[in-house]
Amino acid sequence: MAKRIGVLSPEIANKIAAGEVVERPASVAKELVENSLDAGSSRIIIEVKGGGKDLIRVTDDGWGMEEEDALLSLQRHSTSKISKLDDLESIVSFGFRGEALPAISAVSQLELITRPEKQLAGTRIRVEGGQVKEIRKEGCPPGTTIIVRRLFFNTPARRKFLKSVSTEIGHLSEWIGRLSLAKEDVFFQLIHNGEEIFTLPSGKGLGERIASLYSRDLKENLLGLDSGDDSLLQVKGFLAKPEESRSRPMRQLFYVNGRPIKSRLISHALFEGYKEFLPTGKFPVAFLFLQINPSLVDVNVHPAKREVKFSREKEVHDSISRVVKETLRKGKPVPEIKIGESREGRIKERIARYLSKEPSSSELFNPSALQETTALPKKEGSPLTLLAQFENTYIITREKGKIVIFDQHAAHERILYKRLKDKAAQARVESQALLFPLNLELTLKEATVLKQNLPVLTSLGFDIEGFGGNAFILRAVPSLLNKANPKQLLLDIVDDLLGGKKIEEPLEKQEQIIIIMACRGAVKAGDRLEQEEMVSLLKELPRMEHSYTCPHGRPTMVELTLEELEKRFRRK
Ligand code: ADP
Ligand code: MG
């Protein structure tokens, strides 16, 4: 039942993490939806226009407000959720600062229409830039509707700072999606410019909600996790199998006592738990719901309530990584390798290696026996001899008077970069059709960035077709990158595009995508290479300009001269 709103005393108000809560349409929508959830709603509808820059309307069937409370709710530090600081120790609501509505109404044209069920008429209040312009009684269904028009209309500098419609709606849908996983028993619908983005019925289970928000594929690849009742901490949720891992720590959704939060501590604990199962450079995908005694969590550390602080950090960290590891071990997540998607000839070997998980060591060749076959082209005069692959990452070679060590990833990256660039310059990037076209389901944000970059990706040898909504079919990949897993390659590129800075100029964009493609298509640190693969890699390298660095500027090779060695052994 609704509690009456009170205004926090200045002493309390001053102790509450202050700061800007209204950054962009997504933060407005998040605050409004949190309020709807705090008001016990079971249906929440979010309608947005122009990425939220023109309009955000949130309609709920919660307990509403009487006129007096509705007016109070627009004042600073007025909240029905806490009245004294101690209340923060047992907080279960999303809000507590009494800042959102006044902050939003100060920078927009806001209308609040609300009615508690037991009252016959509702109240409509119209506010413009923080000034109440109109209050009137009117008939409306029980619950609350808040309409926010023309966000930042009176602060043009901030309005100008907003990103494109597609970027803003991407952020907004991501935040609503996050919140929706916290309240699986609530119906959510998000509509943008009259088109439905998602409808999430209540009571279908979290897995189904994850499938609606992300993809059906992901849902099929989730392992359930449940720590049981630990006295300090209970963790429940889902872990995605390692093959769903991404090249950035995205799709890691954490909830503490029902509140979606970002947390490096949890992210790190998750990573530790996954470590033995994860390919290098990958971050796990997981949905973790933590229940912890509220007195051991401080929610009052971030103005937008996006972070929390644990009082027993190490214990929290260790119990999370422990249960993650146990769950993965029990679930035996063996990577699924499909013929036609991977390097066929090496599948068996890869599976065997994966299962045995032998720590990689150096692969030693018999240099004298290989002298003939692996005498590499002359690099500045003298031939290179392949000696070994070390830790499945470095290629050790010998040249007259020195040892030359190559970073296999950096070197391959440099080669792919050069080749892709040459082909792109002649507009002759060949593509290779996939035996089986692949379906991809993306989030709105990912789909948007993919669509934006589709012309460049097509010019670089991808054949990708939109399949309605956020679904795509991948039909072909650039022939130069045909060794990589095509789906993973494309997802990696999308991840990098999302993480990278925005570049408008088409040529620069092509350059950026070539760099990403070279990086993602190249052999990785940790990949065991056949001897011939190393030879052809090294044969290629010296022909490149800038062959001493990868496109990111890291060295591709280091040298250890005889002289240096002799110094270290104190012969000289
Ligand atoms: P907080 O959520 O931190 O209390 P807000 O400024 O977001 O601060 O909201 C102020 C108050 O307005 C809330 O405490 C709540 O009592 C009331 N309120 C806001 N939105 C709603 C809603 N959708 N339904 C019912 N009451 C609401
Ligand atoms: Mg609030």
Side-chain angles (χ1 to χ4, degrees), residues 208-228:
E208 205 46 46
R209 199 158 267 201
I210 290 173
S212 306
L213 287 170
Y214 298 96
S215 73
R216 206 129 285 280
D217 280 5
L218 176 59
K219 189 200 166 200
E220 308 298 311
N221 281 328
L222 293 178
L223 297 167
L225 167 148
D226 190 346
S227 68

Side-chain angles (χ1 to χ4, degrees), residues 308-470:
V308 298
K309 188 159 170 38
F310 299 101
S311 58
R312 285 151 72 175
E313 291 191 325
K314 182 150 171 39
E315 276 170 84
V316 170
H317 177 276
D318 294 354
S319 37
I320 295 172
S321 46
R322 196 175 336 110
V323 40
V324 168
K325 197 181 293 176
E326 278 164 15
T327 307
L328 291 171
R329 279 193 181 152
K330 265 190 273 158
K332 289 205 198 58
V334 177
E336 192 188 323
I337 300 175
K338 292 193 189 118
I339 312 274
E341 272 191 25
S342 183
R343 306 184 202 195
E344 284 179 44
R346 286 161 52 191
I347 290 176
K348 273 201 200 126
E349 178 231 71
R350 285 192 165 215
I351 294 177
R353 184 157 34 97
Y354 185 88
L355 293 177
S356 67
K357 258 301 168 196
E358 280 291 313
S360 57
S361 62
S362 38
E363 196 81 8
L364 215 57
F365 302 104
N366 176 346
S368 57
L370 295 174
Q371 197 99 30
E372 292 281 322
T373 48
T374 63
L376 295 160
K378 289 187 178 170
K379 186 183 134 287
E380 286 158 19
S382 60
L384 274 178
T385 306
L386 178 60
L387 297 181
Q389 186 188 22
F390 178 59
E391 298 289 44
N392 291 341
T393 300
Y394 301 103
I395 302 172
I396 319 253
T397 64
R398 202 194 73 192
E399 205 190 311
K400 190 166 180 288
K402 57 191 169 195
I403 292 173
V404 188
I405 304 168
F406 295 85
D407 179 317
Q408 64 189 39
H409 172 71
H412 194 205
E413 197 179 358
R414 167 53 65 191
I415 294 167
L416 287 179
Y417 171 80
K418 172 81 163 76
R419 288 211 192 148
L420 280 166
K421 254 192 100 89
D422 287 351
K423 299 242 173 193
Q426 306 158 9
R428 273 191 29 222
V429 188
E430 291 107 21
S431 34
Q432 179 169 332
L434 301 179
L435 209 49
F436 305 105
L438 295 168
N439 294 323
L440 292 163
E441 270 186 81
L442 303 178
T443 62
L444 179 63
K445 228 170 147 175
E446 294 163 349
T448 305
V449 76
L450 183 59
K451 279 182 201 152
Q452 280 166 353
N453 290 287
L454 218 46
V456 183
L457 287 168
T458 308
S459 75
L460 291 172
F462 280 97
D463 181 354
I464 303 161
E465 190 188 321
F467 197 50
N470 302 331

